[in-house]
Amino acid sequence: MRAKVPVGIEGVDKMLFGGIPKYNQVILAGGPGSGKTLFGFEFIYKGAKLGEPGLFFSLEEQPQMILENVKEAFSEFTDLDKLIEEKKIVIYDTSDIRAYLKNNGEGSMYSFGKLVSDIESVINATKAKRIVIDSLSLIKLLMPDELEYRNVSIDLVSTLRRLDITSLLIVEINTAEKSQIQFQPEFFIYDGIITMYSSGEEGANRALTLEIIKMRGTKHSRTTVPYEITSNGLGVLLLAQRGD
Amino acid sequence: MRAKVPVGIEGVDKMLFGGIPKYNQVILAGGPGSGKTLFGFEFIYKGAKLGEPGLFFSLEEQPQMILENVKEAFSEFTDLDKLIEEKKIVIYDTSDIRAYLKNNGEGSMYSFGKLVSDIESVINATKAKRIVIDSLSLIKLLMPDELEYRNVSIDLVSTLRRLDITSLLIVEINTAEKSQIQFQPEFFIYDGIITMYSSGEEGANRALTLEIIKMRGTKHSRTTVPYEITSNGLGVLLLAQRGD
Amino acid sequence: MRAKVPVGIEGVDKMLFGGIPKYNQVILAGGPGSGKTLFGFEFIYKGAKLGEPGLFFSLEEQPQMILENVKEAFSEFTDLDKLIEEKKIVIYDTSDIRAYLKNNGEGSMYSFGKLVSDIESVINATKAKRIVIDSLSLIKLLMPDELEYRNVSIDLVSTLRRLDITSLLIVEINTAEKSQIQFQPEFFIYDGIITMYSSGEEGANRALTLEIIKMRGTKHSRTTVPYEITSNGLGVLLLAQRGD
Amino acid sequence: MRAKVPVGIEGVDKMLFGGIPKYNQVILAGGPGSGKTLFGFEFIYKGAKLGEPGLFFSLEEQPQMILENVKEAFSEFTDLDKLIEEKKIVIYDTSDIRAYLKNNGEGSMYSFGKLVSDIESVINATKAKRIVIDSLSLIKLLMPDELEYRNVSIDLVSTLRRLDITSLLIVEINTAEKSQIQFQPEFFIYDGIITMYSSGEEGANRALTLEIIKMRGTKHSRTTVPYEITSNGLGVLLLAQRGD
Amino acid sequence: MRAKVPVGIEGVDKMLFGGIPKYNQVILAGGPGSGKTLFGFEFIYKGAKLGEPGLFFSLEEQPQMILENVKEAFSEFTDLDKLIEEKKIVIYDTSDIRAYLKNNGEGSMYSFGKLVSDIESVINATKAKRIVIDSLSLIKLLMPDELEYRNVSIDLVSTLRRLDITSLLIVEINTAEKSQIQFQPEFFIYDGIITMYSSGEEGANRALTLEIIKMRGTKHSRTTVPYEITSNGLGVLLLAQRGD
Amino acid sequence: MRAKVPVGIEGVDKMLFGGIPKYNQVILAGGPGSGKTLFGFEFIYKGAKLGEPGLFFSLEEQPQMILENVKEAFSEFTDLDKLIEEKKIVIYDTSDIRAYLKNNGEGSMYSFGKLVSDIESVINATKAKRIVIDSLSLIKLLMPDELEYRNVSIDLVSTLRRLDITSLLIVEINTAEKSQIQFQPEFFIYDGIITMYSSGEEGANRALTLEIIKMRGTKHSRTTVPYEITSNGLGVLLLAQRGD
């Protein structure tokens, strides 16, 4: 059996029969407000608690803000600052990505190529085993050309594979409704797809649900399950648990 | 807990467990006739009453007209003129935005860059803590290039963050129907999304409802709630209130 | 309360709590055969009867034809010729718009700019307080470039505002079905939107209905109401009236 | 009341309260197999029987073939050959339109301009009062540029108006289903729209129905009515007739 | 009555009141797996048995493969080889169409023009009365430009008309579902449209059905009828037959 | 009867009345997570067990990873390593396809042409009778031009036909829902289409089902059937089997 990296969210690990197969590069896709950043951060946090250094590439927000938001949501993750101090968790600041790119090259292709090689350097420096990139959507937004984005995506995947990384790559989907989700054409190059939904009937509460669409190297549940954002991390409610 | 900026609309603040987390840049999106400008103005007005100077960037209408429309709708906001006189509320006139841009540069990129730095100057001059831009849609309409609009959007967000502003950025959605709403691809760079709907069955009245889709840094309600435009500001009807 | 301009269609004025707020530039959008031209003409006619000079810019049909069609539909408007003779109603002929544009410039931008300044001249000459442009759709059809159309639209709105005009700007929507209507992206720059539908079930009669989607500066009904084209103008059937 | 041109199809004339208002340029739109050519030809034929010369511009088929197809469908129109001999009906052959255009100019704009002026010459020569163009769709198909097509359309409409013609302009819609019909954006420049449907449930027969969407200068029925292609022309079944 | 060419499929000929009107150029459109090639081949085969030479232009498959597939499906067509030997059936090999085009010119327009004139030569040489082109879709696939494809289509139709051919022109539609079918914009230049569906409910068998959408020069059934691929040709089940 | 190549998945072979007709080039299309790679690999594996050498072109994953994933899923295929050692199964590594293309040419057309001729060389060297390409989607993703992709596709099909290969060509469809599947326009050039679905109702498990849409040269079932991924290969549940 392929070695597995536990996500650290109990329900998700059960759905994956233990976790994400090691060295899989996995898309974490969801609509606005579905909690993708929190899921990604919990993956890094739980890895760090197991002693695996983790890197969180923040292209959208400043590290300080992300940390505050995570603490606000996951108030029971009381050892966060300690893990960051011990460099078990590194939040790499590329939040001002346009300035970042400007300092690293001129043509956009060069810059994004530099981003991939920077990711490689930071991984090497931190000995990270898990990384999260939040988000691929921002890279896509800044690239003038769909084809270039696909080339960068392929480079990124093959770089992460070469470095023996297990990753979650966050993608924003521009709808909150499950029924309207369309996968992006380049998704198939990744080893897995997890989707997070925030679906709502007219007049009713939106419900948060997630689903594992694809995961190379392991069986996985094909059920859409509800989850909550609790002070102790994401809580996924499996049917078996309900029946207990 | 992250500090919060109360919107001043009671129901909305309850849904946000106190208000918008400080320094969040929030999209306020809605269809035509949903009352986005009124929502935005109430946010500035209620801040001013708490002593926080607020800036209303009016790209669509002349300040005088906005003021008349707000007074027409919110007739109980009797201290509006006083607050404007005291410079607690500043309505910055860029309503003739094409003339404005013409006076500030030639190429459109330059002009829009100038718009962002003008916003910065006015914020500095007025010590504003809250701002509303009404609307991003007009900026988008005038830009020849989707990619440039995204670059300006990213600049705007990072400028507002740097200035410690809490903002509402108004976006028009070209449908009045909730079921047809599609989020714009660049929405994810913002810290929050509030949507205002004006939905209607065939033959029935349209009902005004709003929803908080996303808000970084706080829990929030995921219920779609009805609201009314009353003489004393927006009135949001929460279920708990109904049950009282 | 903002001053109001009564449309002259009783039901519509009730829905607007008196009429269109003065100086609002309002889109009148509807599918083919919904009676937009008749609505627009009645607005001019009723204004003229109140002593307010009105201008009808006819880009689609020759003035003589419009007059015949209006007389055919509204046979009880017996003083039409008199009002035209008294210059209370001016039907400005730009029906051969391509010839018109050819005589007024070469590049299309120049021509359309000229159209806006011509509108200004005629308004000044006639002291018109109400104008109708029938239709913006034809201008859009002739413009090679979406962006230019938006620029002309913004020029038009700011010119009409500067001239203290209250206007109805007719737009054709390419469906007769309410459920398929999509607002055009530039609609939000206008102060109001009224839509006219001609909806039909399979095998049943099409029913004419109208709705006020948006109106800055006043409360308005959000109900979709049926209307008929009668010999004495549009007849809108309000629920209250039904219950009487 | 505006003078009217009876179509000659009894039910349609009842729906139009006598016929098409004189000098209206009317779109006859329908899906494949709905009988548009037959409707158009009957309009010319019935006019010819009333003494009004009619022109049938055939861009799709050779005159001989059209005549055979009409005779096959309308076997009771036994005086067809006589009316053609008397030049009451002229079928103008532009069926090999690409050769036609090649002989009349080089650039496509020139050619289509020539087509419009040719139509004018033939109308003058034949003193035609009614014309049918079968079809605008072929002109559109051959034009490289949407904008040019719209310009030609506007030229065509203003030419036909100037010549005091009442016309039916045939347009193919690329679906047989009523529910999928989308009007083309330039339709609004025409004075009327009649649509012919060939709708079908799964497993059931397709039913032929027609509807008058718009007709300037007259009241008209807004009911969708069934029709049949009979040996004596189109038979439209009105509800009143059913109840008789 | 126009002379008719029996298709040779009994049910289809009944639906056409005897067959396809002579010299009609008919589109045979269907989704993948609907049996279009078999329908087309049966049309040629049945003509050959009546003594009419037929040409099958195979752009997709090698003649040997087509023959094998037809024999596999229609095992009772035992005289196929004999008819081919007698040149009553000619399968013209353009299956390696890219090589074919390379040998016949350089620019694509030239090549496709050559294809049309080649078709003419082979028709003249074989005295063919019926032809099938399998498929127009491949020609479209290889053409860089939609407009050129339409020009070639118009050339093809007028060439076939000039040569007194009755043809079936096969077109692939990229869905197997009837409800999703959209006709291509150039279909209206053809004299008839027959569609073949392979529709399926979730969890149920797909059913093969066909329908005659349009056929110039004859009445035709407007019913969608089921068919089977039997060892003795296509079997169409008409309602009358069911009731027998 | 055309000779057949058994797929080796019992249910699929029954649906195909023995297997895929020899020398057919078959599209295997499915959404993410539907098990396309496993299906393709089982086809190669079962062929190898029958003594037919098979080639698996891996453009997406490294051979080692694919092998691990197959072993993980199909734990009862215990002789996999032996078959690979005996060169009965060759997994050809083009997983770093961008590096591969860089080493084989410069312009993309040249590179992809080289890919097709490389496939030919490897087939010749290994005497392969069955090949799988995983996936055509990656080739499409990397090609800047839709037309070039179609040309490469046509080259590929004619090369494989010339080499007497029976192939499965894997294509990713960017939805997991059966109802949203749209075939790609070039699919018709292939001899068969098998689709794999992973469909799900809200709140329910996704079910895996497959369907044979088209298969030249044989009758085939038109039923959508459920399948499971078992330790001994894909298990297809036919209705007859259920009833047993």
Side-chain angles (χ1 to χ4, degrees), chain E residues 175-186:
Chain E
T175 173
E177 297 292 336
K178 177 180 175 182
S179 60
Q180 290 180 19
I181 287 188
Q182 281 270 337
F183 297 120
Q184 290 163 16
E186 70 281 356

Side-chain angles (χ1 to χ4, degrees), chain A residues 179-199:
Chain A
S179 60
Q180 290 180 20
I181 287 188
Q182 281 272 338
F183 297 120
Q184 290 164 16
E186 70 280 357
F187 271 17
F188 71 87
I189 64 171
Y190 298 94
D191 300 306
I193 304 173
I194 299 172
T195 51
M196 302 177 77
Y197 307 108
S198 164
S199 301

Side-chain angles (χ1 to χ4, degrees), chain A residues 33 60 69 98 174 205-206, chain B residues 2 155 211 216 222-223:
Chain A
E60 293 186 16
N69 291 346
R98 284 183 6 102
N174 68 339
N205 287 9
R206 284 193 186 268
Chain B
R2 281 184 57 185
D155 273 353
E211 183 178 13
R216 286 179 179 152
R222 292 178 188 273
T223 306

Side-chain angles (χ1 to χ4, degrees), chain E residues 33 60 69 98 205-206, chain F residues 2 155 183 211 216 222-223:
Chain E
E60 293 186 15
N69 290 348
R98 281 176 16 95
N205 287 9
R206 285 193 186 267
Chain F
R2 281 184 57 185
D155 273 353
F183 296 120
E211 184 179 11
R216 286 180 179 151
R222 292 178 188 276
T223 307

Side-chain angles (χ1 to χ4, degrees), chain F residues 96-108:
Chain F
D96 192 355
I97 188 172
R98 282 178 11 98
Y100 170 86
L101 292 174
K102 207 172 286 170
N103 297 336
N104 280 288
E106 285 155 22
S108 68

Side-chain angles (χ1 to χ4, degrees), chain A residues 178 183 197 211-213 222-224, chain E residues 201-203 206, chain F residues 30-35 175-181 195-211 224-227:
Chain A
K178 177 180 175 182
F183 297 120
Y197 307 108
E211 183 178 12
I212 299 164
I213 298 285
R222 293 178 187 274
T223 307
T224 302
Chain E
E201 306 291 308
E202 291 274 341
R206 285 193 186 267
Chain F
S34 59
T175 173
E177 297 292 335
K178 177 181 175 182
S179 60
Q180 291 180 18
I181 286 188
T195 50
M196 302 176 77
Y197 306 109
S198 163
S199 301
E201 305 292 307
E202 291 273 341
N205 287 9
R206 284 192 185 268
L208 298 171
T209 54
L210 66 79
E211 184 179 11
T224 302
V225 300
Y227 66 93

Side-chain angles (χ1 to χ4, degrees), chain A residues 32-33 60-61 65 68-69 72 98 135 137-138 141-142 144 172 174-175 180 198 202 205-206 208, chain B residues 1-2 23 147 150-151 154-155 161 178-179 182-183 188-189 193 211 213-214 216-217 222-223:
Chain A
E60 293 186 16
E61 291 181 278
M65 210 54 129
E68 280 187 35
N69 291 346
E72 173 72 29
R98 284 183 6 102
S135 63
S137 303
L138 196 69
L141 202 68
L142 291 168
E172 174 95 3
N174 68 339
T175 174
Q180 290 180 20
S198 164
E202 290 274 341
N205 287 9
R206 284 193 186 268
L208 298 171
Chain B
M1 205 175 87
R2 281 184 57 185
Y23 315 144
L147 190 66
R150 293 173 181 182
N151 281 331
I154 290 171
D155 273 353
R161 282 179 181 160
K178 177 180 176 183
S179 60
Q182 282 271 337
F183 296 121
F188 71 87
I189 65 171
I193 303 173
E211 183 178 13
I213 298 285
K214 162 180 165 178
R216 286 179 179 152
R222 292 178 188 273
T223 306

